[in-house]
Amino acid sequence: QNQSQSQNQNQNLVTKKLNTFCPGCKIWTSAVSPDRKHFAYAVEGKNGKYVLFLDGKEGKKYDGVISFTFFSPDSQHFAYVAYEGNKEFMVLDGEKSKGYDNIYPFTFSPDSQHFAYVAREGNKEFMVLDGKGGKRYDRVYSPIFSSDSQHLTYVAYEDNKYFVVLDGKGGKRYDWIYYLTFSPNGQHFAYRAYEGKKAFVVLDGKE
């Protein structure tokens, strides 16, 4: 079964469930779990509030839902970003985080046991892993888990330099960093870095 066929099947499932759970509703975003046993969608209500339904069960109301709904790889967890007033919240399994100025890309680990996202407060950004905020930088980019779910990495920016943060520890600073990747077994880590016109491949912290 190719990706296009899978997407079509998921869309047909979405349409069928929408007609069952909420006929005629205006749907803001929707998702089907990887195992196709769970279905979620956000509905824009007449009062301007947004409500998220999971398997037909109504959840909390928010001023808005501003991200795509997202299931964990094992289909047991569910997350999305909502806002109230001028604050954004990460909602994981129905429980909302503290409010932030902004919340950026989020992801589950491959084993579905960990969850990470980027948050902004004022002019600083930081990674939030399993509900705990990390060190603050000028910019923080998308989180990447290793295939064995034991490591988390991301690129941070501070003092006009980019550097990789692996398991909470910052590496050498460069002018640019691209193409972060883990080995298939999750035991090695590499990326491409630039200093001026010189390019390096950094493997396990060594150029």
Side-chain angles (χ1 to χ4, degrees), residues 63-170:
D63 291 342
V65 175
I66 59 175
S67 75
F68 290 106
T69 50
F70 194 79
F71 284 95
S72 60
D74 67 359
S75 302
Q76 299 304 302
H77 304 284
F78 179 71
Y80 60 96
V81 178
Y83 71 87
E84 292 178 340
N86 62 353
K87 293 295 183 180
E88 298 179 7
F89 304 87
M90 177 59 66
V91 184
L92 175 62
D93 296 334
E95 298 297 324
K96 73 177 185 179
S97 69
K98 63 169 289 187
Y100 299 104
D101 294 335
N102 293 108
I103 293 176
Y104 298 113
F106 58 90
T107 187
F108 287 96
S109 59
D111 67 0
S112 304
Q113 299 305 301
H114 303 286
F115 183 68
Y117 59 92
V118 179
R120 170 177 281 272
E121 287 186 335
N123 61 353
K124 294 294 183 179
E125 297 180 354
F126 50 97
M127 188 66 63
V128 180
L129 173 62
D130 298 332
K132 297 180 180 180
K135 186 176 179 180
R136 298 177 180 230
Y137 303 103
D138 295 338
R139 290 292 307 274
V140 171
Y141 296 86
S142 299
I144 301 173
F145 281 103
S146 59
S147 58
D148 62 0
S149 303
Q150 298 303 303
H151 305 284
L152 173 69
T153 188
Y154 56 91
V155 173
Y157 177 79
E158 187 177 57
D159 298 329
N160 298 315
K161 291 288 185 177
Y162 295 87
F163 53 98
V164 168
V165 179
L166 176 63
D167 297 333
K169 297 179 180 180

Side-chain angles (χ1 to χ4, degrees), residues 165-185:
V165 179
L166 176 63
D167 297 333
K169 297 179 180 180
K172 182 178 177 180
R173 301 188 176 206
Y174 298 95
D175 292 336
W176 295 99
I177 291 176
Y178 296 99
Y179 308 124
L180 281 69
T181 185
F182 283 98
S183 62
N185 66 3

